């Protein structure tokens, strides 16, 4: 293997690892456990060991590593620090500084971003967002995350909290708080756990399965969830007006049944100029993060769709 890119996607239970060639073609895909014990102090050690072993096993030269991209479930400050990752047990961690010492590469070789933003970048680069210039991706799983790409660039925001659609305060009448401490967040009703809570089922899949099979009560729950999601998306469209919304995460497995409901309510809520915005399902599924992490490394080496910047 000549030129090599590592794309790493850190999740709460597993770390997805992709090894790409210089043309961003996936060559190796593996997973390692996310060890969150002792405030997550083993996570970067495990990533470093994985990279070192992969380098040795595949006879990769350090000089041939174009870079290491990492998606992290937390806010990234402008100084490169991860500003707390509750799910990992991290406080403030300077990932590039620490990992570069473990692998003996320059910290400039390591590129980090919020995991939802990285997943959006992956879909933009190689998935459902390919061919667009701006997309907004929603990842609907344990929570509701968001990633915004405008003109090929991730939008982070001043505090690293841009596109946090799950915490838009669009739900009224709730008497319990969100994990963020506020009440009325979209995530409280549109996440997998929120859907299960509204439906009184063991999980969101059970609610969707029953609704698709014709259970009217479950269908009403999904209608309500779709309404709130669409309202949040209409708010986003009123500010950034993306070309395309991409729905990802585990709940997106409901496919067109779910998408049709979201589209219906989005048409009701969106400003007239944005009503026809495309809404599609994510294509890359669990691989979006590693592709996006690889794209973090490529940066301006090639355009977002693999063409020369001068074309």
């Amino acid at each position: 293997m000549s030129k090599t890119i590592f794309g790493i996607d850190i999740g709460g239970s597993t770390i997805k690892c992709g090894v790409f060639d210089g043309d961003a073609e996936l060559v190796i895909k593996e997973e390692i456990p996310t060890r969150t014990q002792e405030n997550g102090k083993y996570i970067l050690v495990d990533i470093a060991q994985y990279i070192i072993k992969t380098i040795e096993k595949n006879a990769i030269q350090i000089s041939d590593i174009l870079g290491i991209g990492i998606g992290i479930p937390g806010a990234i400050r402008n100084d490169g620090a991860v500003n707390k990752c509750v799910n990992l047990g991290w406080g403030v961690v300077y990932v590039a500084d620490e990992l570069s010492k473990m692998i003996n590469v320059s910290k400039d070789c390591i590129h980090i971003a919020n995991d939802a933003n990285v997943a959006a970048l992956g879909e933009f680069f190689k998935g459902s967002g390919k061919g667009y210039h701006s997309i907004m991706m929603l990842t609907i799983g344990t929570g509701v995350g968001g990633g915004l790409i405008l003109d090929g660039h991730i939008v982070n925001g001043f505090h690293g909290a841009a596109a946090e659609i799950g915490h838009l305060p669009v739900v009224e009448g709730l008497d319990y708080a969100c994990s963020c401490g506020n009440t009325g967040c979209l995530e409280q009703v549109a996440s997998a756990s929120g859907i299960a809570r509204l439906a009184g089922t063991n999980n969101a899949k059970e609610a969707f399965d029953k609704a698709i099979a014709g259970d009217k009560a479950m269908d009403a729950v999904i209608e309500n969830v779709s309404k709130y999601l669409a309202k949040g998306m209409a708010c986003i469209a009123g500010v950034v007006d993306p070309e395309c919304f991409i729905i990802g995460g585990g709940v997106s497995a409901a496919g067109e049944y779910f998408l049709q409901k979201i589209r219906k309510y989005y048409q009701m809520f969106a400003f007239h100029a944005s009503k026809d915005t495309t809404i599609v399902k994510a294509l890359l599924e669990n691989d979006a993060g590693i592709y996006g992490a690889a794209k973090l490394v490529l940066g301006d080496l090639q355009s977002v769709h693999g063409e020369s910047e001068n074309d």
Side-chain angles (χ1 to χ4, degrees):
M1 189 182 299
S2 55
K3 297 300 182 183
T4 302
I5 299 166
F6 286 90
I8 309 293
D9 181 19
I10 303 177
S13 58
T14 62
I15 300 169
K16 298 175 181 65
C17 306
V19 182
F20 298 80
D21 65 20
D23 295 319
E25 294 298 324
L26 182 61
V27 179
I28 301 169
K29 183 173 70 171
E30 297 177 289
E31 292 186 3
I32 58 176
T34 305
R35 294 199 290 161
T36 57
Q37 299 91 336
E38 299 182 52
N39 293 322
K41 76 175 188 179
Y42 303 109
I43 293 172
L44 292 182
V45 173
D46 290 345
I47 291 172
Q49 289 180 350
Y50 168 78
I51 291 173
I52 290 168
K53 288 178 181 177
T54 302
I55 288 171
E56 293 173 349
K57 183 178 178 180
N58 295 277
I60 299 169
Q61 301 296 316
I62 291 290
S63 60
D64 285 331
I65 297 176
L66 291 178
I68 300 163
I70 308 176
I72 299 170
I76 313 298
R77 296 194 321 211
N78 288 334
D79 63 356
V82 177
N83 188 18
K84 297 184 181 180
C85 287
V86 176
N87 292 340
L88 303 183
W90 287 358
V92 175
V93 179
Y94 288 86
V95 172
D97 295 73
E98 294 189 20
L99 193 60
S100 64
K101 294 172 185 175
M102 298 177 192
I103 306 173
N104 195 27
V105 298
S106 167
K107 71 175 184 179
D108 294 334
C109 185
I110 300 170
H111 308 261
I112 65 172
N114 171 266
D115 61 342
N117 287 334
V118 168
L121 187 61
E123 287 289 340
F124 185 77
F125 182 37
K126 292 283 189 177
S128 295
K130 190 171 183 179
Y132 294 101
H133 290 88
S134 63
I135 66 163
M136 173 70 197
M137 182 174 177
L138 286 73
T139 53
I140 307 172
T142 305
V144 177
L148 177 63
I149 310 295
L150 293 180
D151 295 324
H153 300 285
I154 290 173
V155 177
N156 290 307
F158 181 79
H159 300 98
E164 283 285 1
I165 190 170
H167 299 287
L168 290 178
V170 296
V171 186
E172 296 181 355
L174 298 181
D175 59 0
Y176 55 95
C178 178
S179 60
C180 73
N182 292 338
T183 301
C185 293
L186 176 61
E187 181 173 295
Q188 291 183 266
V189 297
S191 63
S193 55
I195 293 168
R197 182 169 187 164
L198 290 176
T201 54
N202 293 320
N203 53 56
K205 183 179 184 301
E206 182 182 348
F208 276 102
D209 287 346
K210 288 182 177 180
I212 292 170
D215 186 313
K216 291 184 178 180
M218 291 298 107
D219 185 68
V221 169
I222 305 305
E223 285 278 341
N224 200 35
V225 169
S226 303
K227 179 181 73 174
Y228 281 118
L229 272 170
K231 185 176 287 187
M233 291 161 62
C235 291
I236 292 290
V239 178
V240 297
D241 190 23
E243 287 180 89
C244 177
F245 284 101
I246 298 175
I247 310 297
V251 172
S252 69
E256 281 299 313
Y257 165 80
F258 194 28
L259 290 176
Q260 287 175 8
K261 292 181 183 297
I262 295 171
R263 291 176 186 132
K264 176 180 70 175
Y265 286 107
Y266 179 81
Q267 283 273 331
M268 291 173 56
F269 293 127
F271 180 61
H272 70 85
S274 303
K275 283 186 183 294
D276 293 328
T277 304
T278 301
I279 301 173
V280 296
K281 181 178 179 291
L283 178 64
L284 299 177
E285 298 181 341
N286 290 332
D287 290 344
I290 58 174
Y291 274 100
K295 178 55 192 162
L296 284 178
V297 173
L298 287 171
D300 292 332
L301 294 178
Q302 64 182 41
S303 76
V304 292
H305 296 133
E307 301 166 349
S308 167
E309 292 287 354
N310 296 319
D311 287 348

